[in-house]
């Protein structure tokens, strides 16, 4: 166990953002670190012990709107795409109401997951489970409470089970990363665990990083990069007043070894910027040598990119530069940039869109002859606000011909908004690309006649730019979420199998019956036949 040590706060000028928009680099060690016993043997709050707790709805902390948006979305796909030609893999229940003896009392589930060498790990806000990826069989003793990973660790990471989780698989190191925040008590913490082997049920190196007694680290997102694990947060002072985005780098090299001296380096942005999304590396080819980590968010009819160059030896020369503005087709954010506007059958209760931010992940891939990054967010289609339909806008960015994503302004190679002619609302997307350049996009779908469902679409590399194929229903919903609960999962997860670099794995939520706090989740896999 280590004691928090603030190394320094260096005054470093950001290249593009003014000093009042990007603060100085902040460097600190973890407040605690150790190695756990095998997680298969650890127990936090169990589902049965938690079942009697009062049902709890996680508050939605919106970030400031970027502007009124455009009246016309100029990237809507107006003609149906081709049939989606994929080979279907496993499809099986994830953690949710009535599955695996589980009944959660929290909403939304924040459905998240990742695939490793032999396992799939899913985390749904306060509970997680490990599955055999060849059979879909759940590992004995799961699901477990999220804080079971920190059993015996002490402090907020062990005592609080607050969720907002991310599970990642570091493909280059063959290690799992499990992280959630601790915010029920102060100091506000990010709890990070790195597996010691490729087995997600084994032991972990555990760390807790602090943001003090005032900086509430909301909506954490994590990206894997060769020189660090990169996190982003929306900081709310005293859990109430938006203070701007914060981006942090964790020392990946030291954390993979369980080194107690591992530090984090952070930059605090002004209230002008929120919800920066870190790039997450897919595939076996690393970014060009020396590439900084990339972060994106969106502004008015534009994506905005930051570059985080970390120096673990001399933190004083670490920099965060940006934003670089990347013009895109005009759009309006879904639900006027936040709130609930997605309809369901047989109820007036509408669902949240989280239209104020990019959706996880920003999936990066280096093909050798070019770099590519794909990302998505929810938009509103239709000039008449009363009849607008929520849909998914997606992008593929590439490096400029004369440079890299790290050195020049990225090129919007293609972009599109899913068609809305059928009146079905689509949102809560997650996107990824395989090694052949095929793209898959998963999302939720609902309307006044369609109950919230899990769907996905995709495109092959040689399809017409900006188009997606006819969608597939991975799991049809059989229930609507009823009155007084508008929160719907804060994110879903599309990830790539690291073994073949072809198989997509997607997880999202749905309901088996009408009700509240009775969500279920589904896990599905598939691949394009052209990816071998």
């Amino acid at each position: 166990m280590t004691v928090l040590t603030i190394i320094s706060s260096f005054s470093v000028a950001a290249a593009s953002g003014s000093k009042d928009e990007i603060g100085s680099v902040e460097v600190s060690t973890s407040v605690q670190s150790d190695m756990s016993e095998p997680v298969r043997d650890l127990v936090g709050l169990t589902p049965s012990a938690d079942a009697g707790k009062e049902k709890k709805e996680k508050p939605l902390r919106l970030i400031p709107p970027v502007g009124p948006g455009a009246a016309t979305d100029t990237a809507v796909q107006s003609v149906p795409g081709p049939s989606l030609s994929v080979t279907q893999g496993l499809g099986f229940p994830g953690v949710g109401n009535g599955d695996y003896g589980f009944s959660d009392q929290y909403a939304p589930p924040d459905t998240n997951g990742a695939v490793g060498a032999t396992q799939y790990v899913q985390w749904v806000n306060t509970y997680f489970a490990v599955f055999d990826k060849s059979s879909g069989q759940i590992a004995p003793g799961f699901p477990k409470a999220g804080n079971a990973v920190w059993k015996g660790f002490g402090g907020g990471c062990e005592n609080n089970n607050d969720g907002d989780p991310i599970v990642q698989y570091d493909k280059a190191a063959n290690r799992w990363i499990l992280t959630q925040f601790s915010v029920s008590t102060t100091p506000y913490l990010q709890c990070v665990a790195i597996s010691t082997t490729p087995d997600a049920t084994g032991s972990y190196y555990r760390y807790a990083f602090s943001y003090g007694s005032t900086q509430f680290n909301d909506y954490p997102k994590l990206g894997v990069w060769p020189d660090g694990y990169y996190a982003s947060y929306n900081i709310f002072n005293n859990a109430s007043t938006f203070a701007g985005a914060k981006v942090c780098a964790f020392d990946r090299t030291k954390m993979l070894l369980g080194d107690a001296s591992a530090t984090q380096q952070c930059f605090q942005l002004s209230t002008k910027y929120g919800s920066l999304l870190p790039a997450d590396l897919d595939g076996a080819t690393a970014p060009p040598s020396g590439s900084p980590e990339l972060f994106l968010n969106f502004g008015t009819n534009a994506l905005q990119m930051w570059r985080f160059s970390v120096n673990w030896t001399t933190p004083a020369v670490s920099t965060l530069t940006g934003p670089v503005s990347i013009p895109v087709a005009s759009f309006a954010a879904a639900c006027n940039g936040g709130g609930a506007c997605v309809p369901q059958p047989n109820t007036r209760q509408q669902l949240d869109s989280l239209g104020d931010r990019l959706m996880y992940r920003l999936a990066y891939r280096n093909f050798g002859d070019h770099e590519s990054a794909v990302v998505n967010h929810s938009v509103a289609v239709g000039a008449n606000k009363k009849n607008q339909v929520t849909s998914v806008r997606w992008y593929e960015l590439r490096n400029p011909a004369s440079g890299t994503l790290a050195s020049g302004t990225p090129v919007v190679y293609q972009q599109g908004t899913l068609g809305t002619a059928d009146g079905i609302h689509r949102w809560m997307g997650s996107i990824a690309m395989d090694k052949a350049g095929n793209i898959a996009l998963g999302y939720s779908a609902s309307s006044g006649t369609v109950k919230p469902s899990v769907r996905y679409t995709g495109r092959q590399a040689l399809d017409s730019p900006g188009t997606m194929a006819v969608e597939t229903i991975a799991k049809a919903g059989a229930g609507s979420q009823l009155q007084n609960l508008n929160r719907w999962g804060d994110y879903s997860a599309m990830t790539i199998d690291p073994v073949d670099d072809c198989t997509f794995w997607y997880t999202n939520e749905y309901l088996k019956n009408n009700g509240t706090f009775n969500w279920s989740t589904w896990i599905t896999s598939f691949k394009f036949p052209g990816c071998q």
Side-chain angles (χ1 to χ4, degrees), residues 433-476:
M433 177 182 285
D434 68 19
K435 68 181 181 183
N438 306 310
I439 296 174
L441 172 64
Y443 43 86
S444 296
S446 182
S447 73
T449 57
V450 174
K451 293 179 178 178
S453 304
V454 181
R455 301 188 180 194
Y456 65 85
T457 184
R459 53 170 285 108
Q460 298 190 70
L462 297 180
D463 288 347
S464 299
T467 61
M468 288 284 179
V470 176
E471 70 186 7
T472 291
I473 300 174
K475 190 64 176 177

Side-chain angles (χ1 to χ4, degrees), residues 16 58-59 61 154 169 190 222 229 236 299 309 331 402 439 447 465-466 492 494-495 514:
S16 300
K58 184 175 68 174
R61 292 180 172 86
Y169 191 73
Q190 191 66 30
L222 189 77
Y229 299 129
F236 287 82
S309 293
F331 66 85
S402 58
I439 296 174
S447 73
S492 61
M494 182 73 77
T495 54
N514 293 339

